[in-house]
Amino acid sequence: MNNLFNQHLKGDRSIWVVAMLLGATSLLAVYSASSWMGWQHTGGTFRILVKHALMLAAGGFIMYAASRIRYTAYSKLAQLGLSVTILLLGLTLLIGTNVNGASRWLAIPGVGITFQTSDLARVVIVLYLARVLGRTREEPWTFREVIIKLMLPLGAICGLILPANFSTAALLFATCLLLMYIARVPVRHLLGVVGMAVGAGMLLLLLSKANPELLPRLNTWQSRLTHHGGDDREANYQVNNAKIAIVHGGLLPNGPGTGTSRNYMPHPESDMIYAFIIEEYGSILGGTGLMLLYLILFSRATKLANRCEKPFGSLAAMGLALSLVLQALVNMAVGVNLVPVTGQPLPLVSMGGTSMWFTCLSLGIMLSISRSVYDTANGTEGAARNLNGQRHAAAA
């Protein structure tokens, strides 16, 4: 095992192990939860398993390849990637694949693959803000600079995501505000930004009353908010079945393949996979254990941020970790009925396509940062040992 990490999987070992454990959990849970889909596809459940395993393998390759690139290269790519991402988000709204009144997917011509451009935007905007915030400054941030240099790019990204996916836009906005706070942008400026965002949201709601096409999913958002925690069984059907699955799971594991909620709970392989994992693996191992993996990931990112010499690396590690961990916590909160249904997948666990790949890309960039941190530390220790050896030789 040491040879595997020393020769091939370089960087923070804890991040590699967390990624492997999440991938293994995903393989087991998706295979069991998606059995209801087997009758709809030629090849049955085995075909679904193979497809998901191939997606995980491709994600592992992306993570490995991203970890081999020096992390400073992502700072340069982020500036170019911002323009490309804004263009792709605009195309998604205009010509994207529409499902349930939301245009979130953009087809890649010639290969038959669609991807959510918002997943790309999560990575790009965090790296871009880390680049801007990481530059050395002699004077404190002014409110004008915050608006022009930080909020205009962030507002463009979130504004293009919002019509089709409110939860993603809101979560990304909150993540970036936390990143700005970590980078010591004055709190009064951040509060001013929040006030402007609330005002813009209220204005958008008023305009949508006159033009419903402006926010095509507004009625869905209102329904989820008003019915959350209520007695309407039809409106809360998905969440109520998730709670039943959790109760059936109990504290201790029941074993893989024992879950029955897959037969009646909508989307047990994606949106509600956390509740399904608890049903099969119990609240202690499945529920608490899974949350612990994401918290370990965040703690390792915090350690990297403290040890990285360049501000871009520190902020990129924290921003990417915040993005993944907050998304995971929201998915878990939905599963246990703490917040309304959002449709956020559980990173690296939920069944999905390219969203898993962008999650692996984020982890790969974090691993690239960790490689730089540990290589620097090892180089310093090696230099110290050589210096001590030379002194002992001279004394002899």
Side-chain angles (χ1 to χ4, degrees), residues 347-363:
L348 207 58
V349 176
S350 292
M351 183 179 182
T354 52
S355 62
M356 182 179 297
W357 293 352
F358 287 110
T359 297
C360 290
L361 175 62
S362 297
L363 293 173

Side-chain angles (χ1 to χ4, degrees), residues 288-325:
T288 307
L290 197 56
M291 183 182 295
L292 183 62
L293 290 178
Y294 289 107
L295 294 179
I296 290 173
L297 177 65
F298 184 73
S299 68
R300 300 306 297 179
T302 303
K303 183 176 180 180
L304 291 178
N306 289 330
R307 297 181 63 179
C308 188
E309 294 182 349
K310 295 188 177 181
F312 168 76
S314 298
L315 294 172
M318 286 301 301
L320 294 173
L322 278 171
S323 177
L324 295 178
V325 174

Side-chain angles (χ1 to χ4, degrees), residues 69-111:
I69 301 173
R70 183 166 177 79
Y71 76 91
T72 52
Y74 295 109
S75 174
K76 300 175 182 178
L77 290 173
Q79 192 167 16
L80 173 63
L82 181 67
S83 301
V84 174
T85 301
I86 291 175
L87 175 62
L88 292 177
L89 288 172
L91 288 175
T92 303
L93 287 179
L94 295 175
I95 61 173
T97 303
N98 191 295
V99 178
N100 296 327
S103 296
R104 301 179 184 178
W105 291 267
L106 192 64
I108 303 176
V111 296

Side-chain angles (χ1 to χ4, degrees), residues 35-68:
S35 61
W36 68 273
M37 301 170 61
W39 64 272
Q40 296 179 331
H41 299 82
T42 304
T45 310
F46 181 73
R47 181 182 177 183
I48 298 173
L49 173 65
V50 171
K51 181 180 179 181
H52 187 63
L54 290 175
M55 296 295 291
L56 280 171
F61 175 78
I62 292 172
M63 184 165 56
Y64 174 77
S67 70
R68 304 292 294 184

